[in-house]
Amino acid sequence: MLLAVTLSALAMTLIVGVRYLIVSGAFAAATRVRHPGLYTGLDAQMRREVAWSLASAAIYGIPAGVLAWGWRAHGWTRVYTDLHDWPLWYLPVSVALYLILHDTWFYWTHRWMHRPAVFKAAHAVHHASRPPTAWAAMAFHPLEAVTGAVAIPLLVLAIPIHVGALGFVLTVMTVMGVTNHMGWEVFPRFMWRGPLGGWLITASHHQRHHEQYGCNYGLYFRFWDRLCGTDRGIGDFARSHAKVAAARTDRGPVARRDAGAGRGADRAA
């Protein structure tokens, strides 16, 4: 039994880690194409983000692996595989329940993470990314990773969900976690401007959290931020993108050559 549980935990850790590398890597590549130079000078930061994120992958993977084993061996969870076990109308309802409850958990634990002592001890690791990149989605201190890792396992123990619907929830969680930190908007304008954008969280909303800290704590929806008076609207990436473009123009061929010569002199010294 111990071997089976261990192998399941290792497998889930590998799955979470590879999923992170693929999704974050894909959106980082898209950033290089869509906004060249946006991550210039952030190489050391991105390496740090990847290291923290892979450590978080183990913290997420271990409880998931234990529950995956318990689900198959002993039926511990409320995850079901037969579509007819519950009415078809329950599929979207279960997805909505999971997203709303996960968002609620994230909002309140995230606010707790911004208490001075907790922020200094743990959450500062995530906010060390200035500005965050597509690699920052899971760049957490272990304490923060634990608060995130228990959310979905607690839900599958309590609320029935089809395995396919659970996969959809996990996909949404991964994509939103990455795209919220990219530094630009990948989604259509209607998702972050207008009536729908007033309730959904995308990069424009979360980027303001990384700029101002004491606001915009949600993950998927703006409901709790609005209800609790912590919503400060959406930011505008135009200024930061213009700054990057100006810096690239100013550097020019001569500046880049001079900078390269300077780095060579520094290495020689």
Side-chain angles (χ1 to χ4, degrees):
M1 183 185 78
L2 181 60
L3 178 61
V5 173
T6 301
L7 290 175
S8 182
L10 289 174
M12 288 304 297
T13 296
L14 182 63
I15 289 170
V16 174
V18 170
R19 181 185 67 188
Y20 158 76
L21 291 173
I22 290 174
V23 177
S24 289
F27 282 110
T31 300
R32 287 194 293 272
V33 172
R34 182 68 181 272
H35 297 285
L38 189 61
Y39 294 166
T40 298
L42 299 179
D43 290 351
Q45 174 186 306
M46 289 188 287
R47 286 193 294 270
R48 185 172 64 251
E49 289 169 348
V50 172
W52 281 112
S53 294
L54 291 178
S56 295
I59 295 172
Y60 275 74
I62 290 171
V66 172
L67 275 184
W69 171 83
W71 169 55
R72 284 299 190 185
H74 302 287
W76 285 355
T77 75
R78 305 297 304 277
V79 178
Y80 62 95
T81 57
D82 189 339
L83 278 175
H84 301 291
D85 284 350
W86 284 77
L88 288 180
W89 60 259
Y90 180 71
L91 276 175
V93 170
S94 64
V95 169
L97 276 174
Y98 270 64
L99 292 178
I100 291 169
L101 291 173
H102 187 210
D103 185 71
T104 299
W105 175 270
F106 184 90
Y107 176 87
W108 289 105
T109 56
H110 193 186
R111 280 195 69 171
W112 174 70
M113 284 283 170
H114 277 263
R115 295 178 66 89
V118 185
F119 185 92
K120 183 178 180 180
H123 195 47
V125 166
H126 186 64
H127 275 278
S129 295
R130 300 188 185 98
T133 76
W135 297 105
M138 293 178 64
F140 304 135
H141 183 278
L143 174 62
E144 182 171 1
V146 168
T147 68
V150 300
I152 299 300
L154 288 174
L155 288 174
V156 299
L157 288 171
I159 300 175
I161 189 168
H162 185 266
V163 65
L166 178 60
F168 178 78
V169 169
L170 294 174
T171 299
V172 171
M173 180 180 75
T174 303
V175 170
M176 296 310 294
V178 174
T179 57
N180 282 355
H181 294 89
M182 286 200 312
W184 58 284
E185 277 291 355
V186 68
F187 295 110
R189 189 177 179 85
F190 75 86
M191 287 187 62
W192 52 280
R193 288 281 191 188
L196 185 60
W199 295 101
L200 292 180
I201 289 174
T202 62
S204 295
H205 188 267
H206 192 68
Q207 185 82 355
R208 180 151 287 183
H209 170 76
H210 278 267
E211 292 170 350
Q212 301 182 10
Y213 285 39
C215 64
N216 296 16
Y217 294 109
L219 177 61
Y220 307 124
F221 311 113
R222 294 170 66 172
F223 170 78
W224 284 110
D225 275 309
R226 286 177 168 238
L227 184 66
C228 298
T230 55
D231 195 309
R232 294 186 187 165
I234 62 175
D236 185 358
F237 292 118
R239 184 181 302 172
S240 60
H241 293 175
K243 187 184 296 184
V244 170
R248 293 177 66 223
T249 301
D250 292 343
R251 281 195 295 268
V254 174
R256 284 195 296 270
R257 186 168 61 248
D258 290 346
R263 283 194 298 271
D266 289 342
R267 283 195 296 269

